[in-house]
Amino acid sequence: MQNTHISGKIGPLHRAVLDVVSAMNRPQQDDLLLREAAIPLDRALFPLLVGIGRYGPIGVVELGERAGRDYTTVSRQVAKLEALGLVIRQSGQADRRVREAVVTAEGRAMIDRLDAARARIGAAALADWDPREVDELVRLMRKFADALQEMPKAVR
């Protein structure tokens, strides 16, 4: 693909990604997901629980970067998750000075319920799509996400 063709597509792609992120970040979406999963967890905590489950063991600085939150706020929220018995904090494997969060069995069970609820909600959103379109969307989104992950942070 030529650069001139790509540069003309970046604006519409960026708007589409912002629309997706905006839709996913709406408090109503979080409330719907928590209700569908039948989980009584604070809306601010469940994305961190899921992030720890996906990327853990993980330190609060990296978790904060991934969540777009200040690490001091994330540290307080991880402490709440720990008090609820959903995560534990342990010394880092690469650097013993770093405290990393890891989900507990109870936290994993909650993430599994969230995943099942997300699958039901996502299936409803894609119900009218052709299965090949869904496959292509997943393939291309993964390819795009991987390309973004490989870029230097300053470029993102």
Side-chain angles (χ1 to χ4, degrees):
M1 213 182 281
Q2 295 179 344
N3 253 355
T4 55
H5 178 73
I6 293 172
S7 64
K9 300 295 181 183
I10 297 301
L13 176 62
H14 187 249
R15 281 188 293 284
V17 169
L18 285 177
D19 287 346
V20 169
V21 169
S22 174
M24 292 179 75
N25 282 338
R26 287 188 186 120
Q28 300 88 344
Q29 286 296 108
D30 292 347
D31 291 339
L32 172 65
L33 183 60
L34 289 168
R35 267 193 322 274
E36 181 72 22
I39 291 176
L41 190 62
D42 184 289
R43 190 178 337 134
L45 299 180
F46 91 85
L48 296 176
L49 176 64
V50 171
I52 294 166
R54 300 283 188 270
Y55 303 110
I58 187 170
V60 294
V61 172
E62 183 182 350
L63 183 60
E65 286 177 0
R66 288 182 175 277
R69 299 182 192 174
D70 180 75
Y71 77 91
T72 58
T73 300
V74 169
S75 181
R76 286 190 299 275
Q77 292 169 328
V78 169
K80 290 178 184 178
L81 289 170
E82 188 174 31
L84 292 169
L86 302 174
V87 303
I88 59 169
R89 289 194 265 191
Q90 61 189 24
S91 295
Q93 295 183 13
D95 184 345
R96 306 300 274 167
R97 296 170 296 172
V98 174
R99 303 279 293 156
E100 295 177 329
V102 181
V103 295
T104 63
E106 186 178 347
R108 173 58 49 206
M110 193 171 281
I111 291 169
D112 291 346
R113 288 170 49 195
L114 286 163
D115 287 346
R118 188 178 297 106
R120 290 188 298 273
I121 293 167
L126 298 170
D128 294 336
W129 287 44
D130 182 280
R132 290 177 304 236
E133 290 175 315
V134 176
D135 291 343
E136 190 68 356
L137 174 67
V138 172
R139 185 184 72 76
L140 292 173
M141 287 299 294
R142 181 72 266 157
K143 185 176 181 177
F144 184 54
D146 290 345
L148 290 176
Q149 292 298 319
E150 292 173 9
M151 295 179 73
K153 288 183 180 181
V155 178
R156 293 183 201 158

